Amino acid sequence: MLARILSNDYPRNRVLAVLLVAILLALAFTPFIFPGVKALNVAAKVLVFVVLVASFDLLLGYTGIVSFAHTMFFGIGAYGVAIASTRMGPGWSAIVVGVVVALALSFVLALAVGLFSLRVRAIFFSMITLAVASAFQTLASQLSDITGGEDGLTFKMPEVLSPGFQWSETPFLGASLDGRLICYYLLFALSLLLLLALLRIVNSPFGRVLQAIRENEFRAEAIGYRVVVYRTMSSILSALFATLAGAMLAIWLRYNGPETSLSFEIMLDVLLIVVIGGMGTIYGAAIGAALFLVAQSYLQDLLKLASDAASGLPWLSALLSPDRWLLWLGLLFVLSVYYFPTGIVGRLRAMRASA
Amino acid sequence: QGKEIRIAHIYSRTGPLEAYGKQTATGLMMGLEYATGGTMTVNGRKITVIEKDDQGKPDLGKSLLAASYGDDKVDLAIGPTSSGVALAMLPVAEEYKKILLVEPAVADSITGEKWNKYIFRTGRSSSQDAISNAVTVDQPGTAIATLAQDYAFGRDGVKAFKDAIKKSKVVHEEYLPQNTTDFTAGVQRIIDRMKNEPGRKVIFVIWAGAVPPFAKLADMDLKKRYNIEVATGGNILPAMVPYNNFPGMEGASYYYFGFSKNQANLWLVTNHYTRFKSPPDFFTAGGFSAAMALVAALKKTNGDTGTDKLISAMEGMSFDTPKGTMTFRKEDHQAMQSMYHFRVAPGARPGAMPDLHLVKEIKPSDMDVPIRNKR
Amino acid sequence: MSLLATKDLTIRFGGHVAVNAVTCAFEPGTLTAIVGPNGAGKTTYFNLISGQLKASAGQVTLDGRDLSGLSPSQRTRAGLGRAFQLTNLFPRLSVLENVRLAVQAARDGAHRRGLNLWSIWSDHRALMQRADEVLNEVNMADKENELVANLPHGDQRKLEVALLMALESKVFMFDEPTAGMNAAEAPVILNLIRKLKQDPTKTILLVEHKMDVVRELADRIIVLHNGTLVADGDPATVIASPIVQEAYLGIAKEAA
Amino acid sequence: MSKDLLTLKGVHTHIGAYHILHGVDLTVPRGQLTMLLGRNGAGKTTTLRTIMGLWKASQGRIEFNGTDITALATPQIASMNVAYVPENMGIFSDLTVRENMLLAARGAKHAGQMDDTRLKWIFSLFPAVEKFWNHPAGKLSGGQKQMLAVSRAIVEPRELLIVDEPSKGLAPAIINNMIDAFAQLKASGVTILLVEQNINFAKRLGDTVAVMDNGVVVHSGSMKELAEDENLQHSLLGLAI
Amino acid sequence: MNKFDFDWKPMALVPLLAILVFPFIGSGSTWVTLTVAGLAMGMIIFIIASGLTLVFGLMDVLNFGHGVFIALGAFVATSVLGSMGDYTSSESLWMNMLAVLPAMVVAMLVAGAVGLAFERFIVRPVYGNHLKQILITMGGMIIGEELIKVIWGPLQIPLPLPEGMRGTLLLGDAGIEKYRLIAVVVGALVFSVLLWVLTRTKIGLLIRAGVQDREMVESLGYRIKVLFIGVFVVGSALAGLGGVMWGLYQQNVTPQMGAQVNVLIFIVLIIGGLGSTTGALIGALLVGLMANYTGFLVPKAALFSNIALMMAILLWRPQGVYALSK
Ligand SMILES: Nc1ncnc2c1ncn2[C@@H]1O[C@H](COP(=O)(O)OP(=O)(O)OP(=O)(O)O)[C@@H](O)[C@H]1O
Ligand SMILES: Nc1ncnc2c1ncn2[C@@H]1O[C@H](COP(=O)(O)OP(=O)(O)OP(=O)(O)O)[C@@H](O)[C@H]1O
Ligand SMILES: [Mg+2]
Ligand SMILES: [Mg+2]
């Protein structure tokens, strides 16, 4: 049973398994163990990013394609829900229409990008996606009549998902039983489902071919696989999953704008999470997303403590100032490449192999 | 009583608007100090400011505001720096039924269509900017071309500007991509359109961000070659350095440290000089004004922070600021305030500190700022 | 009827004609050795047959079917199997996964090749079983979980052959399969080729510079020289022919 | 000046977590051609790479011309007048054949400065090098690349030539040329260390021989002795000739 | 493949583009203004991209942190020029040069020195792995930008153009800013020196060889490590020079200014083909021209002109106009 759910792809390391279960439980009970608005927001963001990062891992870790246009699809999903909810008014039908239209648009764009990818060298392709993604972001902010421009769109969700909806007056274990809670568990279920689906995909015959292409494209073609088709399909699939992640984000935030779902910064975060978690292991996405987002969300708080503690040394306290949080994020990029070349999952699994 | 008054200040401590945000924060703290006479208390209640960094990200700003109201239990919030963040925040104030005092985000819609009754703004709105600028260039027989960035801020700015123009006529609107660095093509289009216009010719620039076109416009010698002038609104001091290329250029500004002579501004300028060795800037004055508005309101309620009490106290309230008296208009909670018609000093030296002369204070009564919200 | 045939097969690189109007047919159940000096066009000839290069002129037919215009993957599916001069595998996958990919590729229909996405719900144990069988045939079952990158050179060459067997190709093309193997190791590969030769439905093409190997295995030798087919016949006659003696073996010393 | 140009004493090499060489002892006498034989995976290539400093010996000592080179970096070792042809040939496929040769000719600043007579000699041995002079080296056939790799190593005179399996993929006629080339080089005083699978090649050229297995040298002696002793060959190399 | 069959087609692209758009623009003086300004802009872009032709084009290091060196150069220039007010405010071009040249030299030295550290701690562990290069150099860029903020503050700093370099020269009815002409001279200088070093000395060959097979180059007796450090340092120094030129052009520097041109210069290199200095120049000129023409004819499309140009070129030559065979 478990084998079937996990598609026969076990964590293959005890520490890893414990870590995964811990994250699963923590996310499942966040509203009750970590009360507060901030904790819930962080947890919801983790849920969204787990899907987003795992979908990127399908592309990067399994197919070996470095694309910077992944946030473009993330943004399309978020804008789909946002625009539909703005135009049609809050409601489930708006969400459905938004998601479906977004999926269709992502499909077409991913197909085009995927087909183009075959004409040029891999790094050229990455740079092209970088340019396309930045152009798309500018386009989104220019089409302000539809997208709300730089300011983005603020919209409402169906009543049951709104904070205004109270289904019990008395809080349970410190969490108020309102629409936010329902919305959170909706995301939780979606996230789990999509993650398991991705696990299935990468462990299917299809997923194996993707890995073969990553390893040796020339030989994959030579033993009878049409690399074009598989690559394109992988691009499309990963784009569709990213679109869904975007929709989840919009549902949670009830806001969307270019900075929120299209920015290059998000792309970088995703890239870093994949690498920290471990490329080519869907589990890495879950672990990486949880660790990174929690760290990122509390980094400034942490730095504040540190810089207060170091107030005796002015230059150190200047470097530790919460305003310089990016400096530490940058350092994290560098250190992760130094010390986690195979990511957390790779590290843990290697420990088992040598033990 | 005796319980502290908790205020969240959410602004861009980092991100693209870091420089602006920091000015606001300085201004806010100095303003509280000034308004409370250095005690930081109103009616015996201590004011505590919790600072949060929205990094210029609307989604982050939104969740920070919710966390401030929900987790930190603040009584009201001030901020943010960017309009996008502000717009994302507005519904949160409504959900938590707490006041958000917007400073210095400018978008009209904050006090326009997206407004709710918990929103007040001390900062100037885009309309106030545009109208005051229109006042400075609007002369009969003038042909104006606008040069703006191609996104909502630029387009709305041009629209407001055009609405406010009465005597002159806008003959051309040029929109360039936000990150434009080479202005040759756009300016050439303007030249081609304007060179045969009779009378006075002005390019009115609405540009936000790090690479404004002024230096390049200056290098093109437009005045000498085509008798085309350049005009634009005020900005923070470093951004106005290139204005010195255009001695005699006129425009309208929200604030310039030398213009206002009232008590609050004198205190601000002197103390800012002693503490930071520099004059206060645009957003410092904004933060200062917000603090003064806040303290005025709290004094009016005798330190009561109940939201309804505060709202009724603030609606229509007049309060002192470094820019003179402002008044929260009852209809949309926008602070009506003076703007300054400036002229770049004739002897201005390129590269030096911007040197502005005051032509005239544009009083609130000189500007017909439309009410755009649906109340 | 011949299984594989080339007709006037030609390719030019700029002004250089690397393969020049080669017409030749290969029968099932035979092993044909292709010899010739370095740069004669042997590898290029293979590339043209397997579709890695596009012919400037001429055609390749398999079972009477014209393969022109088909991609390498389509040709593989049509029954052409090729091992490469330089070892060319999936280094960071296990031995078993390597073979399983070939098994999967050999299954008919998009469904089996993994393109039908519903197949993600289906079981693929059958693929693994077949892969195990193939590994048993080449005596590598004990290494099935090793990463290919960690295998010694000899085992990698063996795995190349295993992939072709798993593909169930009709035509096997070997390009110097024993290059860089010493006299003690080479027989393992040669034994595998010998075993394949016993199947009367398979056609085998072998490029090899070691004349003792050629002499022992080949039913027929063709000679390429400067891209042109210059000799064709049974091993003894061809090896004795003056062109091979001079241009290839260098007996009369005067090389390409 | 000692008799041996190169000596290895108790050299151990690790590649990552793998212990590959377990105390190699090897001497290469000056002016002679030393053959290094052994089964696939015996550690021959690893030995050559360790000499060149491409892997670092974890233990033991390597001496060249009386100098300890164990800890030296590859370029330093190469600058002591050593040429190396690696197993994978190390062809720069982006560069033309001419540019490949030019890089190997350290004394020459541009193609015109390469020694003409020596080039002529190389062209006569390996005609393909001349024929494809201005072509990208990546377009060469497998055997042609091998010829280029050897040509590169001999474009300037060197004291020690270390070559890993030069005959791989070569047509018999070219193998003969290569044997001639090594013979001529030896006659001019060059010391050569050669790894070879082609036993005929070995027999025709070798003066001394060392046989490796499992990361150690299990036999060393003269080539003649080994060539005549079929039993020894069989037990060492696992083949009957 | 013979070195004599010179590939002239890409060279023709630039004049071709200029001639093709002429009928659409109509007015001769407008066309001259746009074309000359576009070409000069291309030269400026070439200068800021020139460092990357070495680092990315030759060494194959996908250095996203390149922009930091551009910003660094510009900031150093503000400090140097700020202290030489007498020279910059003079009307004489020669006096101005006495200020600008030292600024360039100091900027190049500082950028080069920082490049040395960058190579050691950021780039060296990741030679040959593009993905890791992206990540780690991104990290390097963020750190660099933050450090610039720590040193010079987060505010934009004006970098006024020296007096003598201001203003426009008139060619009939068409105008060209003086500063652009100066950029053309500097660009041409950078181009010729680069071209000479890379094609007339063995250095270019060695780098290309070293990228493919480091070990073999070392086995031939060359100290590739030193060479790579050297090239990286020169690349960074050129970026520093580019920063000075770019900063003076914008007359205003911000910590993000380097990151903002990152995509642009990558596009230039891709159009030109990796490793080709001439290609990079052509790419830069095309980008400069294209931006002006579309900006004039269809301003809406100006945003996409670079991308469209790059796509079109890649459809024609998937490796860029002058690709080294790969
Ligand atoms: N892509 C290409 N472009 C230009 N020339 C090529 C290309 N591929 C091969 N050649 C040339 O075609 C000729 C034939 O090469 P091929 O690899 O077929 O030789 P081969 O017979 O396999 O030789 P070897 O025994 O050395 O492997 C060679 O001279 C080679 O330089
Ligand atoms: N990079 C590496 N990582 C791990 N093991 C390696 C590596 N390179 C070689 N080995 C192992 O080291 C041993 C010796 O290899 P080496 O290449 O030196 O053998 P060889 O005698 O040259 O063999 P061949 O005749 O096949 O070239 C082999 O078992 C091989 O698997
Ligand atoms: Mg070949
Ligand atoms: Mg070897």
Side-chain angles (χ1 to χ4, degrees), chain A residues 88-149:
Chain A
M88 299 168 60
W92 290 103
S93 57
I95 295 181
V96 172
V97 169
V99 170
V100 170
V101 172
L103 285 175
L105 180 62
S106 289
F107 181 90
V108 174
L109 276 176
L111 186 70
V113 173
L115 288 176
F116 192 81
S117 78
L118 294 147
R119 273 198 62 85
V120 297
R121 287 172 51 177
I123 31 166
F124 280 24
F125 176 71
S126 324
M127 304 315 303
I128 291 169
T129 55
L130 181 63
V132 168
S134 71
F136 190 84
Q137 188 185 346
T138 317
L139 190 70
S141 66
Q142 279 197 359
L143 296 176
S144 48
D145 292 344
I146 307 168
T147 60

Side-chain angles (χ1 to χ4, degrees), chain D residues 69 71-82, chain E residues 218 221-223:
Chain D
I69 61 165
L72 293 192
T74 308
Q76 289 173 297
I77 298 172
S79 312
M80 299 170 94
N81 226 356
V82 179
Chain E
E218 296 199 318
Y222 298 99
R223 292 200 291 169

Side-chain angles (χ1 to χ4, degrees), chain B residues 262-279:
Chain B
N262 65 34
Q263 176 101 48
N265 194 44
L266 289 179
W267 189 90
L268 171 59
V269 174
T270 347
N271 281 279
H272 201 277
Y273 258 117
T274 41
R275 290 180 206 179
F276 305 101
K277 314 267 174 295
S278 65

Side-chain angles (χ1 to χ4, degrees), chain C residues 136-212:
Chain C
N136 273 322
E137 276 180 62
V138 296
N139 288 328
M140 286 183 71
D142 53 326
K143 303 204 166 146
E144 66 173 30
N145 288 322
E146 299 247 359
L147 289 193
V148 167
N150 295 343
L151 288 183
H153 183 72
D155 280 342
Q156 296 198 3
R157 307 253 31 157
K158 249 156 85 178
L159 192 56
E160 281 265 348
V161 181
L163 287 197
L164 294 199
M165 293 168 59
L167 278 174
E168 293 168 20
S169 309
K170 296 181 221 164
V171 177
F172 287 80
M173 296 188 277
F174 295 105
D175 199 349
E176 301 192 40
T178 66
M181 302 184 85
N182 71 5
E185 288 267 319
V188 183
I189 298 284
L190 299 181
N191 279 337
L192 282 175
I193 296 179
R194 245 175 239 127
K195 210 155 123 194
L196 283 174
K197 219 181 114 177
Q198 278 153 22
D199 187 337
T201 62
K202 310 281 189 202
T203 302
I204 305 175
L205 272 59
L206 173 70
V207 169
E208 185 56 79
H209 285 301
K210 292 181 184 145
M211 290 315 285
D212 39 350

